[in-house]
Amino acid sequence: MFQKIYTILRLDSIKSKMLLFLLLPVILCFTVASSVSYSIADTAVGKYVRSTVVNDTMLRATEVEAEITVAKSMALTLAGVLASPNISDADTYALFKRLDEGATNIDNICVGYADKRYIKSAEGTMAPGYDPTARSWYINSANNPDKVLITNAYVSQTTGRMVVTFTKAVVRNGSVVGVVAAEVNLDSVKALVMGKKVAKTGYGLIIDNNGMIVIHPTIKSGEYMQKIDNGALESVYNQIKTEPSGTTIRSVYNGVSNSYCAASIKGTTYCS
């Protein structure tokens, strides 16, 4: 089951005379403070700030989608190159190494063949008897040869970073002969999501549709929101994830009423 990643923007409610838009544990968060009265905040200023935050949410989601599109295109291109019967294993390895060394967000590029050959750019050796055709990334792509697939986000055992893997079947003369995969770390996505702040506080984060924290400034990647704040975050998430992108809702989190805005990130299920 491939995940859909959501980007959520949280704005804190009015407290005394301070309008505090604090974006906390959900997915893309920013902050802005303005010393205005409650009545003004609920009218012109409130609408302006909400409009600004919604626009920022949608922009950030678009930027993340662009990163995904680049990785998708790379997997598609590699599958096309490897479809040639004339490319040798040595040439394949050399190509993978050049791509790996030239991009900071690539942790590994590999291809598994139906005859169980396995070529990768990352250092180290595989365990004896390693069979790429038995791996889920191979099986899923082999069963969907016309699609570029993206795996669930997961913590790499090698680097400790949050990564996703893009896969595409290698097809020759109508038959699947292998699957190419690119393991891409989410460092650049993290920079996009968390790099923007509206005023001095607030932050961005990404949660997938299984409730796993993908990117967060203080919570460890791979943790599940069901275990955070006695499920309070999960309650907010369940409300916001069903809304169309750009919709704002109000919900209570840790005893405080807040407004939230969400935008789904396209391309994080099947990439077709």
Side-chain angles (χ1 to χ4, degrees):
M1 178 94 179
F2 295 99
Q3 294 172 310
K4 192 172 199 177
I5 297 177
Y6 290 86
T7 302
I8 300 177
L9 196 64
R10 168 180 173 180
L11 304 90
D12 253 359
S13 60
I14 300 166
K15 214 170 185 180
S16 299
K17 291 185 178 181
M18 185 67 70
L19 179 63
L20 183 63
F21 289 80
L22 181 60
L23 302 122
L24 274 164
V26 196
I27 298 178
L28 203 53
C29 305
F30 306 108
T31 308
V32 63
S34 178
S35 181
V36 295
S37 70
Y38 184 95
S39 60
I40 294 177
D42 258 2
T43 55
V45 174
K47 290 178 180 179
Y48 171 77
V49 175
R50 281 177 173 78
S51 174
T52 299
V53 174
V54 169
N55 290 338
D56 281 337
T57 304
M58 302 305 290
L59 174 61
R60 215 58 57 214
T62 300
E63 291 175 338
V64 173
E65 288 163 11
E67 291 284 318
I68 291 170
T69 298
V70 171
K72 170 190 170 183
S73 297
M74 180 179 65
L76 189 62
T77 300
L78 285 173
V81 171
L82 297 176
S84 170
N86 299 320
I87 185 167
S88 67
D89 288 355
D91 288 339
T92 297
Y93 174 74
L95 172 62
F96 287 178
K97 289 297 288 185
R98 286 200 302 272
L99 290 172
D100 192 338
E101 292 169 356
T104 58
N105 64 330
I106 295 177
D107 287 350
N108 184 38
I109 303 174
C110 64
V111 61
Y113 287 108
D115 61 9
K116 298 181 174 43
R117 282 180 296 139
Y118 181 71
I119 305 168
K120 65 185 181 70
S121 64
E123 300 296 330
T125 58
M126 305 306 295
Y130 177 78
D131 181 1
T133 66
R135 311 299 292 182
S136 61
W137 57 267
Y138 186 101
I139 295 170
N140 289 332
S141 267
N143 290 334
N144 296 274
D146 296 328
K147 295 180 179 292
V148 175
L149 304 184
I150 177 174
T151 67
N152 297 345
Y154 60 95
V155 179
S156 171
Q157 294 183 350
T158 304
T159 65
R161 294 188 293 198
M162 186 61 71
V163 300
V164 293
T165 297
F166 292 81
T167 65
K168 175 66 175 69
V170 179
V171 180
R172 293 177 188 164
N173 300 320
S175 298
V176 175
V177 297
V179 171
V180 63
E183 186 179 274
V184 180
N185 68 65
L186 298 180
D187 288 357
S188 60
V189 172
K190 184 176 181 178
L192 286 174
V193 173
M194 296 177 59
K196 174 68 178 293
K197 287 188 178 181
V198 180
K200 297 180 180 180
T201 59
Y203 53 85
L205 59 117
I206 290 179
I207 298 176
D208 67 30
N209 68 342
N210 288 326
M212 185 180 72
I213 304 295
V214 178
I215 293 172
H216 192 285
T218 59
I219 299 174
K220 184 180 178 180
S221 295
E223 295 290 330
Y224 283 84
M225 64 180 176
Q226 292 88 341
K227 300 179 180 180
I228 299 170
D229 296 329
N230 296 317
L233 178 56
E234 180 184 18
S235 177
V236 174
Y237 178 81
N238 287 337
Q239 289 180 261
I240 195 65
K241 73 176 183 179
T242 60
E243 299 293 335
S245 292
T247 301
T248 58
I249 68 166
R250 292 195 68 79
S251 184
V252 176
Y253 180 71
N254 282 347
V256 181
S257 179
N258 303 285
S259 293
Y260 297 82
C261 175
S264 61
I265 300 176
K266 299 175 183 178
T268 52
T269 51
Y270 281 94
C271 297
S272 57

